[in-house]
C-alpha cells in the first residue's frame, strides 16, 4: 500500500460535488432522495455485515481517521452518483444502455486506478472483477429502486444473501461481539 501522494479519495469526493453542481442535477436531488438513502443504507449494511471480514476496503488518504474515507464515499460520492445517474435518465433503450455502460465503465476505471495505486484492497476472494460484476448489477438496481422500490428491496435481499453465502461471510460473528 502506498501512502502520501495525491489525496485521491478527497479529490474524487470534491470532483463528485463539482460534477453534481455543474450538471444542475442537484435540482432534482429531492426526487431521488429515497434512492440515495437506498444506496447509503446498502453501503452501511455492507460494513455492518462484514465488519471483521471485509471483502474490499479503501486505503484511507488520512490515516489518522480511517473511517473518514468511507464517510466520503457513503455520504458524498455515492449520493452524487445516484443523482447524476438517474437525473435525465433517457427513455430510449439504446440511450439507456449507453448510460449504464458509461457509469459502469467510470466505476470500473476508477477502481482499477485505486487497485493499481494501492488505494483499495481486496480480501476473502473479492477482486476487481467482482466489483465490476457488482457495478453491472448495481446501476440497474438504482433505476429499479427509483421506479419500484418494493421490488428493488426484495431483489436486494436475495442478492445480499447470495453474496454473503458466496463469499462465506461469517455473519454469526456480529452477534458474538455484542455478548
Amino acid at each position: 500500500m502506498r501512502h502520501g501522494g495525491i489525496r485521491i479519495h478527497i479529490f474524487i469526493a470534491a470532483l463528485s460535488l463539482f460534477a453534481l453542481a455543474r450538471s444542475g442535477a442537484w435540482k432534482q436531488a429531492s426526487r431521488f432522495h429515497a434512492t440515495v438513502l437506498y444506496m447509503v443504507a446498502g453501503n452501511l449494511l455492507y460494513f455492518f455485515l462484514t465488519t471483521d471480514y471485509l471483502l474490499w476496503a479503501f486505503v484511507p488518504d488520512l490515516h489518522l481517521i480511517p473511517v473518514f474515507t468511507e464517510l466520503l464515499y457513503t455520504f458524498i460520492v455515492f449520493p452524487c452518483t445516484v443523482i447524476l445517474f438517474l437525473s435525465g435518465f433517457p427513455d430510449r433503450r439504446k440511450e439507456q444502455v449507453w448510460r449504464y455502460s458509461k457509469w459502469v465503465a467510470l466505476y470500473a476505471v476508477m477502481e482499477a486506478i485505486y487497485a493499481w495505486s494501492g488505494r483499495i484492497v481486496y480480501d476473502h476472494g473479492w477482486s476487481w472483477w467482482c466489483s465490476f460484476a457488482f457495478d453491472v448489477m448495481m446501476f440497474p438496481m438504482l433505476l429499479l429502486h427509483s421506479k419500484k422500490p418494493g421490488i428493488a428491496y426484495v431483489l436486494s435481499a436475495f442478492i445480499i444473501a447470495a453474496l454473503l453465502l458466496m463469499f462465506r461471510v461469517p455473519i454469526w460473528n456480529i452477534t458474538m461481539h455484542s455478548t
Side-chain angles (χ1 to χ4, degrees):
M1 288 183 260
R2 298 178 186 177
H3 302 290
I6 186 170
R7 304 289 189 219
I8 194 164
H9 301 302
I10 295 168
F11 174 75
I12 292 301
L15 186 62
S16 297
L17 288 170
F18 176 77
L20 185 64
R22 182 129 169 40
S23 72
W26 60 270
K27 296 173 188 171
Q28 297 182 44
S30 63
R31 182 174 162 209
F32 304 118
H33 184 256
T35 305
V36 166
L37 292 177
Y38 166 75
M39 188 160 186
V40 166
N43 198 51
L44 293 174
L45 184 62
Y46 162 72
F47 283 103
F48 175 74
L49 293 175
T50 64
T51 190
D52 291 325
Y53 192 87
L54 293 175
L55 301 175
W56 60 268
F58 292 117
V59 175
D61 290 332
L62 303 174
H63 298 284
L64 300 173
I65 314 168
V67 74
F68 179 74
T69 301
E70 294 305 334
L71 294 175
L72 281 175
Y73 283 88
T74 301
F75 296 110
I76 295 176
V77 176
F78 296 156
C80 289
T81 294
V82 170
I83 297 164
L84 288 166
F85 174 70
L86 292 175
S87 65
F89 198 85
D91 293 326
R92 293 180 38 199
R93 177 67 63 182
K94 187 175 182 179
E95 293 167 356
Q96 290 174 353
V97 169
W98 173 244
R99 168 101 29 132
Y100 285 126
S101 301
K102 193 167 60 169
W103 278 95
V104 168
L106 175 65
Y107 263 54
V109 167
M110 286 310 304
E111 188 155 331
I113 291 169
Y114 292 165
W116 173 80
S117 65
R119 291 297 184 195
I120 194 167
V121 292
Y122 305 112
D123 205 357
H124 306 292
W126 194 266
S127 67
W128 178 90
W129 288 104
C130 295
S131 290
F132 177 77
F134 185 86
D135 293 340
V136 167
M137 176 274 310
M138 178 184 74
F139 285 103
M141 289 299 293
L142 291 173
L143 181 64
L144 178 62
H145 183 274
S146 73
K147 295 178 181 282
K148 298 181 186 268
I151 295 171
Y153 284 119
V154 169
L155 282 175
S156 294
F158 284 107
I159 291 167
I160 291 165
L163 289 170
L164 291 172
L165 291 170
M166 191 180 331
F167 290 96
R168 296 184 172 108
V169 176
I171 58 172
W172 55 87
N173 286 348
I174 295 167
T175 57
M176 295 174 81
H177 287 308
S178 62
T179 56

